[in-house]
Amino acid sequence: MAFKYKYQMYKHLQANTANIYADARKAAEELNIPADIRGKFGLTGGISGCPAPLRDDIMHAGEEAGKKVIPLAVMVDQIRELVKDIYGDEYDAVPTSTCEAGLWVTFDSLFTPPNLGRGDNYRARYIAPLEKHFHHQGGYGRPFPGRYKDIIADRGTTPGELGFYGKRQNNLDTVIVPLAGGKYDVHGIKSHPVPLLTEVNPEQTYEEMKKFAQIHASMFTGITSLGYETPGYGYGSKDKDGCPVLQKMYAKLAKEYGVPYVIDNAWGVPGIGHDIRKSGADVIIYSMDKASGAATSGLIIGKEDIMVPIRRAMGVHGDRWGTGSSYGKAAYVTFDPGKEALATQIQALTVLRDHPEVYTKSVDDLYEVVVEEFANIHPKLKAGIIINKSHNSRAVEINYEATWANGELGMPIFSIEDMYSGTNLLQSGMAQMGVIPTIAYDGNIYISPDLSTTDSKGNLLKDVMRYGVKSQVRLMEIIAKYAGII
């Protein structure tokens, strides 16, 4: 059946959730997904809530470190040396317990007002473009302007009692700037404006952000954004070196105002992904247990002078026991990673420096599988799908915004609120098929290896991965059928 308005379509999908689930389970039988792997493999190893198994070399590094007496300062210096091998001596690093911990200590060190001195602290403001995953990099201040004051509300209350509200910094505001060329239409069963970013214009976005920087110049302390590289995240326009132009525009604006530009590259990999030497960013932060495949931990990399206050806040910068660096009590000692996690970071960075193909080949192989399987999707959907490969995120992006072309209803788009409330059928439907789902909202799907789809050496298990990709294709067709699209 056809719908006149999109809210009618989403209402119908919600009413037919049980039928969609039943069709998904039937499809899993038709695809002959082996019973022994159902519920034990998935479309991404890049989600901290369900991390991928460790490669043999990563596992071995952690086990061996656990048997030895090694001061943490020694391991941190090894990480610093590896980062300098990759990026140069003018860059430095510090590991953390998670990527979110890395964001927290970085924002507090670089963006917030000082606590020392008489009288009330002044207010500070950092600029965050209104892009995907905004609740991470944009959630550390009070949203401004007022129309966005509840933008974190559902994302904050659904995950937990305090949720994302709990990480707000003292006297810090987030100035939210929509991206020029981006669309923010309302979609989803849990309806909310979603960022649709394949047509973002970097130069116009720079001009828009500059207006906000001028308005807030007296309180302007920094800029943040994602570090991804695909069209669905707004980074389709690249320079001759393959660097997203939009990120270079953010760096340009930060330099003009003398403030740091901090990149959240949680779903990224050092060395083979975003290159801050090319983009001009000051700091970039990784979740090392996602695409990099280390044990749960984060890593902050940045220009040496910018890293000094961050390293000091982590307690690794000062002189202790006659050493040049230490691991002692400091403002963010609760963000210390463990010894075994540090060992796995060292191993991951060593492989990224010496044998990056261990990380890139599985992505190249995955891209072939995705292109082959999505070639079989219903023609009505296929016409609006674009597929891109990302070595930065070790992922393949499937974006379907263009299925909504010419004013017609397209493939249902689920909001991030749908993900948190359990009404994102592209995710919950995959679970019915015995496939652990991936990030799939805002008209975008990111598929990556490692969740039992690679062997112990990191090579893609194409047959297993193909089951997952086939399932995603079939589920999209099932949902599109109930949406009246096909």
Side-chain angles (χ1 to χ4, degrees), residues 214-240:
Q214 291 168 345
I215 292 170
H216 303 283
S218 65
M219 295 180 280
F220 185 23
T221 56
I223 298 174
T224 188
S225 81
L226 291 175
Y228 303 167
E229 60 179 353
T230 54
Y233 280 88
Y235 299 110
S237 177
K238 297 182 174 67
D239 67 8
K240 59 182 176 58

Side-chain angles (χ1 to χ4, degrees), residues 10 37 53 56 73 79 93 97 104 161 163 165 168 194 198 211 217 231 239 312 350 358 362 368 377 410 417 428 476:
Y10 291 115
I37 68 170
D56 280 352
I79 290 172
S97 56
W104 200 319
E161 189 66 27
Y165 276 134
R168 283 185 179 167
V194 299
T198 57
K211 293 178 185 177
D239 67 8
R312 183 177 290 125
T350 301
V358 172
S362 59
E368 292 180 6
I377 201 168
E417 282 71 17
S428 58
M476 291 177 71

Side-chain angles (χ1 to χ4, degrees), residues 200-279:
V200 165
N201 185 301
E203 290 77 14
Q204 290 182 12
T205 297
Y206 163 79
E207 294 297 335
E208 287 298 312
M209 293 191 74
K210 191 167 186 177
K211 293 178 185 177
F212 281 87
Q214 291 168 345
I215 292 170
H216 303 283
S218 65
M219 295 180 280
F220 185 23
T221 56
I223 298 174
T224 188
S225 81
L226 291 175
Y228 303 167
E229 60 179 353
T230 54
Y233 280 88
Y235 299 110
S237 177
K238 297 182 174 67
D239 67 8
K240 59 182 176 58
D241 294 324
C243 182
V245 175
L246 184 57
Q247 289 157 356
K248 296 185 77 169
M249 292 293 99
Y250 295 151
K252 177 184 177 182
L253 183 62
K255 186 175 181 180
E256 289 172 355
Y257 279 82
V259 299
Y261 170 33
V262 174
I263 285 181
D264 174 6
N265 201 22
W267 201 336
V269 184
I272 63 171
H274 180 105
D275 192 333
I276 53 178
R277 296 168 298 182
K278 295 179 180 179
S279 69

